[in-house]
Amino acid sequence: MLTVGVTLAGIVGTVVLDRPPAAPTASVVAAPDVVPDVDASPDATSLAVDAAGDAQARVVTAEDDRVYAIVSESPGTATPYEFPAVAPSIVPTVVLTPRDRPYDLPALERLGAAQRLDDGDWMITRSVLVGRDAVLRIEAPGGTLRMASGTAGFASLIAFKGTLTIGGAPGAPLTVTSWDPAAGAVDTALDDGRSYLRSVGGRLDLAHVQASELGFWSGRTGGVAWTGGAGEPGRGSATATTVDRSHYGMFTSRVDDLTINGGAVRDNAADGLLVHRESAGVTVRELEATGNARHGVAVSAGTERILLSGVTANGNRGTGIRLDGAALAASASAGGASTAPGRGFTVERSTVTGNGDVGILAAGNAGLVLRDNTVSGSPDGIVVRGTAAAPELTGNTVSADGFGIALRDGVGDAQLTGNTVGASTVAVQVADAAATLRGNTVDGAARYAVSLVGAVDGSVVETNRLAGRGPAAIDVNRVGLGSNVAINGNDESAWTLDRDDVAYWTAYVVDHPLILLWLLILLLPVIAQLRARRRNRAGERIHPYAHVPPGPATASLTPVDRIALARAVAAAGRTTSRPGHPPVPPHRVAPPADLTETTTLMPVTRVTIVSGDGSTP
């Protein structure tokens, strides 16, 4: 019992209590095209498993095969041509070849790829592939471009090493959406695919576009996608463009010098914006990412030179802004991926509020700058983790349910200056990391203003103003052996020290979970001893014959009977033996007939009178 109790206490103390406040999480199912990043874990939010996932994956493969077949089996003509439908779709593809002037909607109508509707809107009836050096411009301010998408197949617009421009006008955006002619409504069934926009090693420019109900399953077919080809990165821009209720909002992979300015990505089934592998030089300004089922803005491994400025990330189920600076490979790999970590990440003047996971999460980044951001309403505010080298966090205003700012797991030489952390459990945590904290302000921390845990050698905490209430303004009880920390000139005058209430002891137990184990080790023997004493006292109070019915009093025996009974009792334990032989137990004889009735009524089970001299007369 003692062993079991100690074991359970150890498990509770070391596993349950010795951890920071946890954020609500959801199950993780990685979407295709997404390489798991440094922090991929079950605490990362994602999509629920789609029952039609296998069917969608097969359609993605068919789309790849279709594009490959078109570009590899070109007839080499100078005029546009039609490529037959590829199963499972029965929608053929019109391939545009280079010419002196750009193609437009009337040109597509003459080629049988577009149809003007009675209300003045347009329907794309066939897939269109803009070939190398060809240009397609679709401009219809205030109009609607419907892309045929249903059980008979779906139409897509792809710029394969060509240029695709789609635009409306300020105040009169062009609406682009999927459309099922049979149902007379947008396409919501994804198991057979859905219309999308994409560039492959070409250029895609969107301006004043409202895109919705596009894409399926993968990033490259997810809605609006910029992707690169072999040796040719994708390029382009999106200005005042909104993508909502699609699979991904916007997706990039193998792009260079892509600019997103204004607009929004809302209520999409995966990420609002995913900047995926081998993307470089991506600039995102004034983009609103809200209500997406995973992250608002996510930057994957193998990317560099990423600027997010003035981004608003609100109400996403996952992280508001997520930056992964990990390399694509740790060593030589079959795919020959680079081992260089991502570098050059800047997030500035952004507002991140009310997300289901961390407000801003950065993992393994080199050259990370987080400047003048406002983060609130999330389980944790800003978390930087992994082997990030010299990140700079300056002028951020943060509040959170758990940690305001946390630096963990190998972060080195972090610089935190001029940040303001409001309501939080722990305002700033440095755990197995090294950081310099200068000129920061903490207001309303509920446990610690600054907490230093583990290997924090070289950390500096000085000239900070620390206000709140808890066991200590600066927690150094868990600093690892050999770690030297400089603490100087901090203003703790507004800190209320708790040492005699429930909050203090709760925090103390959480910070020192093994105390439960030691308490149990001390209490179990005490409890066992008390129980033993209680049983002994209870035994003394109970008469040994309490449950035996009373028999006749011994006073009723005659003098002769009394003498016979005394001799029998005295001889009961005698034995007889001869020298050198084992003892012989006394032989038993029947009691006198006149004593049988009396002895059987005594308050004992039975008394047998035995005498070595035989029966007493």
Side-chain angles (χ1 to χ4, degrees), residues 176-491:
V176 180
T177 186
S178 62
W179 190 259
D180 186 348
V186 296
D187 185 6
T188 58
L190 305 184
D191 56 345
D192 56 356
R194 189 165 62 173
S195 298
Y196 63 92
L197 309 176
R198 180 188 179 191
S199 68
V200 183
R203 185 174 186 91
L204 172 61
D205 293 299
L206 307 175
H208 305 287
V209 171
Q210 171 72 51
S212 63
E213 311 288 351
L214 297 176
F216 66 99
W217 198 239
S218 73
R220 57 188 178 274
T221 61
V224 177
W226 291 264
T227 64
E232 296 188 57
R235 291 183 170 84
S237 64
T239 302
T241 294
T242 297
V243 184
D244 62 4
R245 301 188 304 278
S246 298
H247 186 65
Y248 282 93
M250 300 179 182
F251 175 87
T252 79
S253 177
R254 295 181 178 176
V255 301
D256 196 7
D257 296 330
L258 174 69
T259 300
I260 299 173
N261 194 354
V265 283
R266 301 192 188 104
D267 303 321
N268 297 290
D271 303 322
L273 167 63
L274 175 57
V275 181
H276 197 40
R277 61 175 66 181
E278 299 181 47
S279 294
V282 177
T283 300
V284 181
R285 300 182 185 276
E286 311 302 328
L287 179 70
E288 180 183 339
T290 61
N292 298 288
R294 197 157 56 187
H295 312 305
V297 176
V299 180
S300 294
T303 56
E304 60 181 17
R305 294 186 290 113
I306 309 298
L307 170 64
L308 307 178
S309 180
V311 170
T312 299
N314 295 339
N316 302 285
R317 286 179 57 190
T319 303
I321 297 176
R322 181 185 182 96
L323 309 171
D324 184 1
L328 287 175
S331 61
S333 62
S338 172
T339 59
R343 61 185 63 253
F345 299 87
T346 300
V347 181
E348 62 181 14
R349 299 186 303 100
S350 295
T351 302
V352 184
T353 61
N355 297 284
D357 208 328
V358 180
I360 299 177
L361 172 63
N365 309 89
L368 173 67
V369 177
L370 305 178
R371 179 172 52 226
D372 299 331
N373 301 292
T374 299
V375 183
S376 64
S378 298
D380 294 327
I382 298 175
V383 176
V384 181
R385 61 189 304 176
T387 55
E392 298 179 15
L393 284 72
T394 305
N396 300 288
T397 301
V398 183
S399 62
D401 297 334
F403 296 99
I405 299 174
L407 309 175
R408 302 171 181 157
D409 306 331
V411 175
D413 195 25
Q415 303 294 316
L416 277 69
T417 58
N419 300 286
T420 299
V421 183
S424 57
T425 301
V426 177
V428 181
Q429 181 196 53
V430 181
D432 296 320
T436 298
L437 283 65
R438 286 194 179 98
N440 301 286
T441 300
V442 174
D443 291 316
R447 186 181 301 169
Y448 304 117
V450 178
S451 179
L452 303 170
V453 182
V456 292
D457 187 43
S459 294
V460 176
V461 182
E462 60 184 18
T463 64
N464 302 285
R465 189 177 71 82
L466 309 178
R469 184 185 186 97
I474 302 176
D475 169 32
V476 294
N477 290 327
R478 292 167 290 164
V479 171
L481 295 176
S483 294
N484 295 315
V485 180
I487 301 176
N488 300 298
N490 299 288
D491 180 5

Side-chain angles (χ1 to χ4, degrees), residues 395-607:
N396 300 288
T397 301
V398 183
S399 62
D401 297 334
F403 296 99
I405 299 174
L407 309 175
R408 302 171 181 157
D409 306 331
V411 175
D413 195 25
Q415 303 294 316
L416 277 69
T417 58
N419 300 286
T420 299
V421 183
S424 57
T425 301
V426 177
V428 181
Q429 181 196 53
V430 181
D432 296 320
T436 298
L437 283 65
R438 286 194 179 98
N440 301 286
T441 300
V442 174
D443 291 316
R447 186 181 301 169
Y448 304 117
V450 178
S451 179
L452 303 170
V453 182
V456 292
D457 187 43
S459 294
V460 176
V461 182
E462 60 184 18
T463 64
N464 302 285
R465 189 177 71 82
L466 309 178
R469 184 185 186 97
I474 302 176
D475 169 32
V476 294
N477 290 327
R478 292 167 290 164
V479 171
L481 295 176
S483 294
N484 295 315
V485 180
I487 301 176
N488 300 298
N490 299 288
D491 180 5
E492 302 179 20
S493 60
W495 185 265
T496 300
L497 193 63
D498 270 337
R499 288 194 178 279
D500 56 357
D501 58 8
V502 174
Y504 169 78
W505 289 109
T506 301
Y508 188 86
V509 171
V510 171
D511 293 338
H512 304 81
L514 290 180
I515 192 173
L516 294 179
L517 177 63
W518 290 110
L519 285 175
L520 189 60
I521 291 174
L522 293 174
L523 287 177
L524 283 179
V526 173
I527 293 172
Q529 183 66 22
L530 290 176
R531 289 189 55 158
R533 289 184 178 182
R534 184 175 179 181
R535 288 178 178 175
N536 290 338
R537 287 196 300 269
E540 293 171 359
R541 289 193 299 267
I542 299 174
H543 193 277
Y545 299 111
H547 304 292
V548 179
T554 57
S556 61
L557 298 178
T558 64
V560 174
D561 294 337
R562 291 175 180 274
I563 294 172
L565 179 61
R567 289 178 178 177
V569 171
R574 286 206 307 265
T575 61
T576 60
S577 63
R578 290 177 293 173
H581 290 79
V584 176
H587 60 278
R588 294 181 173 87
V589 296
D594 57 350
L595 294 182
T596 302
E597 182 178 353
T598 302
T599 56
T600 57
L601 294 177
M602 293 181 65
V604 293
T605 303
R606 187 175 182 84
V607 175

